[in-house]
Amino acid sequence: KYPLSNACGQLGQSYQDYHCSEEEAHMECEVDPQMSLTAVTHAKWYGAPAPLYCGPKTSDQPFTGFWDYNYECNKGWANPPETCSVYEGQKAGRFDHSSAYASTGGRTDVEGCCWWGRGVIQTTGVCNFGKLNYYLGKRAADEGRESRYPSVDFCKDPEVICASAEYKELKWVAGMFYWMESVQAYNEGGWDYTTELINFVNGGMSGNGFIDGVSGIVNRGCHNPPCGTGALDGGVERAENFKKVLDVLFDGSRPQISGPSSGPGSSSVDNTSSSGGSTADVWYPNYDAQFAAGKCVNDSPVPGGRPTYTTGSECCSFAYAGQASNACVNALSPSSSEEPGQSGGSKPSIPDSGPRPTRQPVPSTSEVGLIVNSDTFVNLERGLEGSKDDIDNKLFLYQTPAFQWIPSSVYKYADFIESLYIMATQGVAGKKFYIGEEGNDGHIYGLVNIAAFFAQSMKETIQYDACDENSWDLVNGKYPLSNACGQLGQSYQDYHCSEEEAHMECEVDPQMSLTAVTHAKWYGAPAPLYCGPKTSDQPFTGFWDYNYECNKGWANPPETCSVYEGQKAGRFDHSSAYASTGGRTDVEGCCWWGRGVIQTTGVCNFGKLNYYLGKRAADEGRESRYPSVDFCKDPEVICASAEYKELKWVAGMFYWMESVQAYNEGGWDYTTELINFVNGGMSGNGFIDGVSGIVNRGCHNPPCGTGALDGGVERAENFKKVLDVLFDGSRPQISGPSSGPGSSSVDNTSSSGGSTADVWYPNYDAQFAAGKCVNDSPVPGGRPTYTTGSECCSFAYAGQASNACVNALSPSSSEDPGQSGSLLQSQTIEGDIDGGRTYADIFVSSYSSESRLRTNLNVFSCDDSAEIPMDSKIIDVLFDYEYEVAFREDQASHLIPSFKHGIIHDLAKRLDCHALASRRFLRQAQSGLLGFLSADGSDVIDGEKSVCSKSTSDDGHVCLPVVGHIAIAVEPHAELEVILESKQLVLQKLQESFSSKTISDNVTYVGEHNFAESQVSPYTQDKIENSRNEEPKKESKPLVAVLCSLLGVAAVFIALVPIKRGKMHEQARTVPIAPEISQDSLDAPYLDTQNNDCQNGDLAITSSDDSVSEESVGSQNGFEQDIDVDTAQLVNDNGDDDILLKHTFSTDEGSSRADNNADQDCCPIWEHEDTMPTLRDRKPMEPP
């Protein structure tokens, strides 16, 4: 019989007890007795056992039985009939749970037994899976280390190794990780793997001694079994396999080599550096910092240590194998990829998005013919065709659940260009997609129109690889199924046309039933939206339970995740009605959710498509592009049609023509603004921000419609990316239409000489966040010019969250006549207020993100409301602090997020930024500060500074200068003085927090970080307050790179994480200050992290109602002990350096005796100072 508890370990093993060594114990996975998993593969012979599974014991099933492989399960004649349904392809067998049946190891359950072997060499046990997670998975990402698979938690879901459709390589990665850890590193009993391998090769690759030793290591843990769990299993087969592989790799003939000239282990790659001569035929990898951007080059000289290849394609195949971006292959010229004698041809690339449809010829004199043969259309199409590969591979990208950006499977250039042909030539209702103006450069206006369209599409749908609207509106932590009717309180079936166009809209059919074809893809993501009538059996709809574990093959009956393909968790919960934000508890008539590249929504828009392009047009005798497509009976055709893939683009272009190109309200006309933008040198965000407002909120100057602009920064960055692709990184300079709207007043002349010290212009950096204003001579043509640098920054880089432009100016470049350079800081803050981001940019992007469960962002409200107002302005505050450690810099950097977590929670306490229920009445002194936010991982080591303000300690510790970041929220129309006051308040509280040594003795506050003058501003800690000897602070250089990364924190990471509210006062007191800091990492007595008031050497007690009064509670060993009202700490009043022993004291009224049952909170400490562990006691590679 096959015990079901074999999942816990076979041949007497216990996989969950395969622990790491003491040095690596912190890496292993914790055993979760509630974890439930089922293997995805299994044996396939007649009656073979079901896949292994694990799960908790229950009252109904407190034990496991065995697999009865002899049982005939196909009994269609039985009453009731029986089928073989445990796994696909099953022919016989069943679970027998009639009694407990023990495995060889004695187990009769599968609780916590989720650690069976997986992958190509059966990675097994809590240690190995833990190491994968620690080095490659989610834990590495969560703790601030580089991670290959940041969304993959090998401890929560070890089955991902076998089950992942996205990361199919994991089954190999797991095996290679084991190979590197256990085989390549093996050196025991005089048998060293690398030495034995080299000896085997040098000896002509004969005999079985080497492979038998390897087999023993893999199978039993030693090179000379029997050892470990027994004798070698399958040694002959393993040796035969080895010979087969050698025959394949060496084509049946073993090569004869003399071996490495410098001993075992030396690499065989070309380590010589070419010092001259042509290297055109030698290619090598450039080892770009980003693997996805890596290329092969043949520049001379060849760097030492690089492997070399005959052709560029060979280099890419070996050096960048598995590169999803294909950047290496795509960068090659055709000749670089050719083998000798190979004919020339086009370079390899990602497969084309599909064949272009054959168009019917049109008369050159027809309306369509005049358009397609015009210089404007020809030049436009030529420009797009020249960029089509970059459009598919650089613009039409979506983000996977693992945070990788790969080409979209839904949106392709071929479909887009077909839709452009239709909408630019035929159009709808007399409207056509704008392709530009007449003249040689007229098509440039059309390309900018397309760039604006792409920018919005990339934000709305392409980044999610979604055609159908995703269910994303959380209501009290659940996804209502009635989100199909409308999210954020909307009702799509009530989006009617105007009175003049009401005859065009679709009728709502309560009997219509449809299901979306695309959906979100993260773990437990909601099912596709659907609509259908209410029934007597189901008169209401519930919600999607994204936490439900649906893979339960061991259950009776078995459960699988079968709602949609690739589902990992979640289920429909119809147990009770659950309302959407709009109050709906059904999906009857709710078939009008967003579809297509810009989410065409509502009965009016689908009706217009049908009226002008679909079946209704044909039925009523009008010309119809899609006479058989009824957009009203089947709106899902936009996403589902395999015949008309361009429909997802057509629907978006129809909206663009109707709502964007035709927009002319409040003095803002789309075409005029577009032409002005082009004629002005394509600088600034004014145009694209206006377009984003129209698309997202219905007006060019939100907040309006349903609220503030969502994702304005991302949309503007998308726009710039598209322009860079379409214009190859260089904006064309044109004079613009000679007549008509849009002529620009900017200076389009090019300076040909002379001094331009007083003329400033934008440098148009490839990264908007890094853009600056310069006064270099000559002035490029087409650039707007300004009198001062600050004026240039205000106009050309308005809204630049990084403030790189302003911070790069010298004081004189920003000054008007008579202005003092000391106002630069004020100008920077004024720039934030006038053109910066709002809290709505942060909140809405986070709210609509599919990554709400992944967060290290902390948000605190500091006023009397429960939330930060959406129109609040966000001001960035940078500060310097210094961190003294006994590690190398790269090791120490992993501790910074832990310290930051403590910093922001202690700051919240000092600012009294908590929930309203427990807030004290201290708000009058900080009226301008509405709240603050920051991420645990947003602080970085200041690479521009060579030393800290204090010298390196004699004890061998290293001091690292760190730049910290806090973003404060202020009232939308706050005066500059109020902003500065709020900022100074935060800096002051930060100084108090650092000075109190609450977080750590090893961290010292320096002051505000000032980029303009490369020095710290007020609140610099006084020299005498520092317990260590300090040198005068050396002047540091500007740190623009750090500024860009920190000040852009909201735009970079907030869209990926949900908002994390500050907890109530009672909860805040128990938030760990530095939860990832171990006892051994402190240079002082380890503090109780559950009490923010604890200080080194203190014992602390708190009452449940904070009503402890100041009174003596007795003495211990001659030391008088008092209770301090403010901090509720038990302090040593004796004045010496002795540390009190740990005691607890009752908080019951009238009691002064020790009471271990009292409501208390004490700091654990060591009795003697000389036994305290310090950083110097640690082993070099122990984890922090």
Side-chain angles (χ1 to χ4, degrees):
K1 300 175 183 178
Y2 292 97
L4 301 180
S5 53
N6 276 349
C8 302
Q10 306 194 66
L11 290 179
Q13 302 172 82
S14 176
Y15 301 148
Q16 70 192 73
D17 293 321
Y18 278 7
H19 297 291
C20 296
S21 65
E22 184 176 351
E23 294 79 18
E24 297 178 324
H26 62 282
M27 301 181 187
E28 68 183 34
C29 297
E30 293 184 2
V31 175
D32 179 7
Q34 299 301 312
M35 185 186 295
S36 297
L37 290 175
T38 301
V40 296
T41 64
H42 52 83
K44 299 177 181 179
W45 45 269
Y46 191 93
L52 297 176
Y53 71 89
C54 62
K57 291 181 285 190
T58 65
S59 57
D60 295 334
Q61 194 62 56
F63 57 79
T64 53
F66 64 93
W67 177 262
D68 180 1
Y69 65 90
N70 283 317
Y71 185 79
E72 294 297 330
C73 49
N74 272 322
K75 298 180 180 178
W77 44 265
N79 188 10
E82 290 185 46
T83 59
C84 299
S85 58
V86 176
Y87 57 83
E88 185 176 353
Q90 180 188 1
K91 298 294 191 296
R94 68 170 176 178
F95 293 116
D96 189 328
H97 289 294
S98 57
S99 61
Y101 198 86
S103 64
T104 307
R107 289 291 294 264
T108 57
D109 67 289
V110 290
E111 188 172 88
C113 295
C114 304
W115 312 102
W116 59 80
R118 296 172 175 93
V120 73
I121 303 193
Q122 299 289 272
T123 298
T124 308
V126 293
C127 178
N128 285 326
F129 289 110
K131 285 184 177 181
L132 283 172
N133 207 38
Y134 187 87
Y135 290 114
L136 296 177
K138 188 173 185 295
R139 182 173 175 186
D142 290 347
E143 295 179 358
R145 298 185 299 278
E146 183 178 359
S147 172
R148 177 71 181 181
Y149 306 102
S151 67
V152 175
D153 194 327
F154 293 91
C155 287
K156 295 292 186 184
D157 184 18
E159 191 59 23
V160 69
I161 290 173
C162 298
S164 176
E166 182 175 5
Y167 303 118
K168 296 181 180 179
E169 75 274 15
L170 281 179
K171 56 184 71 73
W172 289 100
V173 167
M176 288 182 174
F177 179 80
Y178 161 82
W179 195 261
M180 292 146 48
E181 280 268 293
S182 302
V183 180
Q184 290 182 185
Y186 186 90
N187 186 2
E188 292 183 19
W191 203 96
D192 175 72
Y193 174 84
T194 305
T195 302
E196 295 296 327
L197 184 151
I198 293 175
N199 288 341
F200 172 75
V201 174
N202 293 346
M205 305 187 195
S206 62
N208 288 344
F210 169 68
I211 191 59
D212 286 345
V214 174
S215 299
I217 297 168
V218 171
N219 184 238
R220 294 305 182 205
C222 67
H223 69 282
N224 54 349
C227 57
T229 54
L232 176 62
D233 173 25
V236 174
E237 295 172 78
R238 296 172 194 265
E240 289 178 349
N241 291 341
F242 185 55
K243 183 177 182 301
K244 288 178 184 177
V245 178
L246 292 177
D247 287 341
V248 168
L249 296 182
F250 298 113
D251 200 21
S253 176
R254 309 286 192 272
Q256 304 301 319
I257 63 174
S258 60
S261 60
S262 57
S266 60
S267 173
S268 59
V269 299
D270 178 14
N271 286 305
T272 61
S273 177
S274 174
S275 58
S278 172
T279 58
D281 295 329
V282 180
W283 293 80
Y284 57 90
N286 70 345
Y287 290 157
D288 191 277
Q290 295 294 324
F291 180 81
K295 303 178 181 67
C296 284
V297 294
N298 64 344
D299 301 332
S300 177
V302 180
R306 303 287 177 95
T308 58
Y309 306 90
T310 305
T311 66
S313 58
E314 181 189 20
C315 176
C316 289
S317 298
F318 284 89
Y320 291 105
Q323 186 187 53
S325 66
N326 268 348
C328 185
V329 173
N330 292 331
L332 300 176
S333 63
S335 60
S336 66
S337 303
E338 295 171 10
E339 300 289 349
Q342 178 182 345
S343 61
S346 60
K347 62 188 178 185
S349 63
I350 290 178
D352 191 18
S353 56
R356 293 271 297 278
T358 302
R359 296 174 182 152
Q360 295 295 325
V362 295
S364 60
T365 57
S366 67
E367 181 182 4
V368 174
L370 291 173
I371 294 174
V372 297
N373 292 314
S374 68
D375 289 341
T376 302
F377 187 87
V378 170
N379 291 334
L380 178 83
E381 192 170 34
R382 183 182 295 124
L384 291 170
E385 286 292 312
S387 303
K388 65 179 182 180
D389 289 339
D390 282 346
I391 291 173
D392 267 338
N393 300 325
K394 293 183 179 179
L395 300 182
F396 295 171
L397 305 177
Y398 79 96
Q399 190 177 37
T400 69
F403 300 101
Q404 293 179 317
W405 290 92
I406 64 176
S408 171
S409 63
V410 175
Y411 298 100
K412 301 291 185 181
Y413 173 80
D415 302 330
F416 158 74
I417 200 67
E418 179 61 18
S419 67
L420 178 65
Y421 179 86
I422 295 168
M423 301 305 272
T425 59
Q426 181 177 337
V428 177
K431 300 182 179 73
K432 293 182 174 64
F433 195 87
Y434 178 71
I435 60 172
E437 303 289 328
E438 294 181 359
N440 292 335
D441 295 326
H443 69 288
I444 291 175
Y445 301 100
L447 289 174
V448 172
N449 184 45
I450 291 172
F453 175 66
F454 280 176
Q456 305 302 323
S457 303
M458 290 159 67
K459 168 62 181 172
E460 295 287 336
T461 56
I462 296 176
Q463 68 170 329
Y464 305 115
D465 204 30
C467 180
D468 288 285
E469 182 175 340
N470 291 337
S471 178
W472 51 263
D473 188 4
L474 273 172
V475 178
N476 295 324
K478 300 176 181 178
Y479 294 96
L481 302 179
S482 52
N483 276 349
C485 302
Q487 306 195 69
L488 288 182
Q490 302 172 82
S491 177
Y492 301 148
Q493 69 192 75
D494 293 322
Y495 279 4
H496 297 290
C497 296
S498 65
E499 186 176 348
E500 296 78 15
E501 296 178 325
H503 63 284
M504 301 181 188
E505 69 183 35
C506 297
E507 292 184 4
V508 175
D509 179 5
Q511 298 303 311
M512 186 187 294
S513 296
L514 290 173
T515 301
V517 295
T518 66
H519 52 82
K521 300 175 182 179
W522 46 271
Y523 191 95
L529 297 176
Y530 72 92
C531 63
K534 291 181 285 189
T535 65
S536 57
D537 293 334
Q538 195 62 56
F540 55 81
T541 53
F543 63 93
W544 177 263
D545 180 0
Y546 61 89
N547 284 317
Y548 185 77
E549 295 296 333
C550 49
N551 271 322
K552 298 181 180 178
W554 48 268
N556 190 10
E559 290 185 45
T560 59
C561 298
S562 58
V563 177
Y564 57 83
E565 184 178 356
Q567 180 189 1
K568 297 292 191 300
R571 66 170 175 178
F572 293 116
D573 189 323
H574 289 293
S575 58
S576 61
Y578 200 85
S580 64
T581 307
R584 289 292 294 262
T585 57
D586 68 290
V587 290
E588 187 169 274
C590 296
C591 305
W592 312 103
W593 59 80
R595 296 172 175 93
V597 74
I598 303 192
Q599 300 288 270
T600 299
T601 308
V603 293
C604 179
N605 285 327
F606 288 111
K608 285 184 177 181
L609 283 173
N610 207 38
Y611 186 87
Y612 289 113
L613 294 176
K615 188 173 185 295
R616 182 173 175 185
D619 291 347
E620 296 179 358
R622 296 186 301 279
E623 183 180 2
S624 171
R625 178 72 185 185
Y626 305 102
S628 64
V629 176
D630 194 327
F631 293 93
C632 287
K633 295 293 186 184
D634 183 18
E636 190 60 25
V637 69
I638 289 174
C639 297
S641 177
E643 182 178 4
Y644 303 119
K645 295 181 179 180
E646 74 274 9
L647 280 179
K648 57 184 70 74
W649 289 101
V650 167
M653 288 184 174
F654 173 72
Y655 160 81
W656 194 261
M657 291 148 46
E658 280 268 291
S659 302
V660 181
Q661 289 182 185
Y663 186 91
N664 186 2
E665 294 183 16
W668 204 95
D669 174 72
Y670 175 81
T671 307
T672 301
E673 295 296 330
L674 185 153
I675 293 175
N676 284 342
F677 172 74
V678 175
N679 293 347
M682 304 188 198
S683 64
N685 287 345
F687 168 68
I688 192 59
D689 286 346
V691 176
S692 299
I694 297 168
V695 171
N696 185 240
R697 295 305 181 204
C699 67
H700 69 281
N701 55 349
C704 57
T706 52
L709 176 62
D710 169 26
V713 173
E714 294 172 77
R715 297 171 194 267
E717 289 178 348
N718 290 341
F719 184 54
K720 186 177 181 304
K721 288 179 186 176
V722 181
L723 291 177
D724 285 342
V725 166
L726 296 183
F727 298 114
D728 200 21
S730 176
R731 309 289 189 267
Q733 307 302 324
I734 64 176
S735 58
S738 58
S739 61
S743 59
S744 173
S745 60
V746 298
D747 176 12
N748 285 304
T749 61
S750 176
S751 172
S752 59
S755 173
T756 57
D758 295 327
V759 180
W760 293 80
Y761 57 91
N763 70 344
Y764 291 155
D765 190 277
Q767 296 293 327
F768 179 79
K772 306 177 184 67
C773 283
V774 294
N775 63 343
D776 301 332
S777 176
V779 181
R783 303 286 177 97
T785 57
Y786 306 91
T787 305
T788 66
S790 58
E791 180 189 19
C792 175
C793 290
S794 298
F795 285 89
Y797 291 105
Q800 185 188 53
S802 67
N803 271 344
C805 184
V806 172
N807 291 328
L809 300 176
S810 64
S812 60
S813 65
S814 305
E815 296 171 10
D816 289 323
Q819 179 182 345
S820 168
S822 64
L823 294 180
L824 180 60
Q825 182 188 40
S826 298
Q827 292 170 348
T828 302
I829 295 178
E830 285 175 328
D832 272 353
I833 294 295
D834 294 337
R837 61 199 186 281
T838 66
Y839 183 65
D841 291 328
I842 297 171
F843 177 80
V844 180
S845 294
S846 174
Y847 192 82
S848 61
S849 170
E850 296 177 2
S851 308
R852 287 185 57 83
L853 297 181
R854 295 185 287 269
T855 178
N856 69 341
L857 181 70
N858 302 271
V859 181
F860 295 91
S861 176
C862 300
D863 71 346
D864 293 331
S865 65
E867 298 289 340
I868 297 177
M870 286 296 175
D871 58 349
S872 305
K873 293 294 183 182
I874 299 298
I875 306 298
D876 295 290
V877 178
L878 297 182
F879 55 96
D880 291 317
Y881 63 95
E882 296 170 357
Y883 172 35
E884 191 167 339
V885 292
F887 299 111
R888 300 191 313 268
E889 177 178 323
D890 57 343
Q891 294 175 292
S893 63
H894 299 316
L895 281 177
I896 295 177
S898 301
F899 284 119
K900 180 59 177 293
H901 188 83
I903 291 169
I904 52 185
H905 280 86
D906 191 59
L907 177 64
K909 178 183 174 184
R910 293 176 186 277
L911 289 171
D912 205 28
C913 298
H914 306 294
L916 183 62
S918 60
R919 185 175 289 115
R920 301 188 185 98
F921 300 101
L922 300 176
R923 291 292 304 117
Q924 293 80 356
Q926 36 195 88
S927 59
L929 181 64
L930 302 180
F932 72 91
L933 57 152
S934 190
D936 296 346
S938 64
D939 295 3
V940 297
I941 295 173
D942 189 344
E944 295 293 323
K945 292 184 179 179
S946 58
V947 295
C948 292
S949 60
K950 57 172 175 265
S951 60
T952 304
S953 302
D954 295 334
D955 56 12
H957 287 197
V958 174
C959 179
L960 301 176
V962 182
V963 179
H965 170 263
I966 298 285
I968 62 175
V970 296
E971 295 165 350
H973 305 295
E975 297 293 334
L976 180 60
E977 291 77 8
V978 176
I979 306 307
L980 290 173
E981 180 182 341
S982 300
K983 178 180 177 182
Q984 290 169 355
L985 176 64
V986 170
L987 290 169
Q988 183 179 14
K989 295 300 181 182
L990 281 169
Q991 182 186 7
E992 293 176 3
S993 178
F994 279 90
S995 299
S996 70
K997 300 298 181 182
T998 301
I999 296 102
S1000 172
D1001 278 345
N1002 298 334
V1003 184
T1004 302
Y1005 181 75
V1006 176
E1008 180 185 358
H1009 188 87
N1010 190 321
F1011 283 98
E1013 300 176 5
S1014 301
Q1015 63 185 23
V1016 294
S1017 291
Y1019 304 111
T1020 301
Q1021 183 168 347
D1022 196 307
K1023 189 174 181 180
I1024 62 174
E1025 294 177 359
N1026 189 359
S1027 59
R1028 302 178 186 270
N1029 295 327
E1030 300 187 28
E1031 297 286 345
K1033 183 169 178 65
K1034 297 184 180 181
E1035 183 172 305
S1036 62
K1037 297 182 291 184
L1039 194 60
V1040 175
V1042 177
L1043 175 68
C1044 295
S1045 61
L1046 289 178
L1047 295 182
V1049 65
V1052 174
F1053 64 78
I1054 292 173
L1056 301 179
V1057 294
I1059 300 301
K1060 182 177 181 180
R1061 299 293 306 159
K1063 295 184 178 180
M1064 297 178 65
H1065 175 60
E1066 292 81 6
Q1067 293 170 317
R1069 289 180 61 86
T1070 63
V1071 173
I1073 294 180
E1076 298 173 9
I1077 304 174
S1078 70
Q1079 276 183 227
D1080 292 348
S1081 69
L1082 295 175
D1083 222 1
Y1086 180 57
L1087 305 182
D1088 179 0
T1089 61
Q1090 302 301 312
N1091 189 326
N1092 289 4
D1093 288 329
C1094 286
Q1095 302 295 314
N1096 291 332
D1098 291 343
L1099 299 179
I1101 62 173
T1102 58
S1103 69
S1104 59
D1105 58 0
D1106 284 340
S1107 61
V1108 177
S1109 60
E1110 186 171 2
E1111 59 178 318
S1112 173
V1113 294
S1115 63
Q1116 172 71 25
N1117 297 333
F1119 304 129
E1120 184 172 318
Q1121 303 159 353
D1122 293 338
I1123 295 179
D1124 184 283
V1125 176
D1126 180 45
T1127 61
Q1129 291 179 341
L1130 187 62
V1131 296
N1132 180 354
D1133 284 345
N1134 197 42
D1136 59 26
D1137 294 329
D1138 291 340
I1139 297 177
L1140 300 179
L1141 298 179
K1142 177 179 177 182
H1143 287 274
T1144 60
F1145 294 88
S1146 171
T1147 57
D1148 296 338
E1149 184 177 358
S1151 174
S1152 60
R1153 294 187 176 184
D1155 180 359
N1156 291 329
N1157 295 319
D1159 177 14
Q1160 48 81 31
D1161 192 358
C1162 288
C1163 299
I1165 59 175
W1166 284 270
E1167 184 172 358
H1168 302 293
E1169 288 184 302
D1170 58 0
T1171 63
M1172 301 175 196
T1174 69
L1175 285 170
R1176 296 179 296 281
D1177 297 326
R1178 297 176 51 79
K1179 297 179 181 178
M1181 290 306 294
E1182 277 191 308

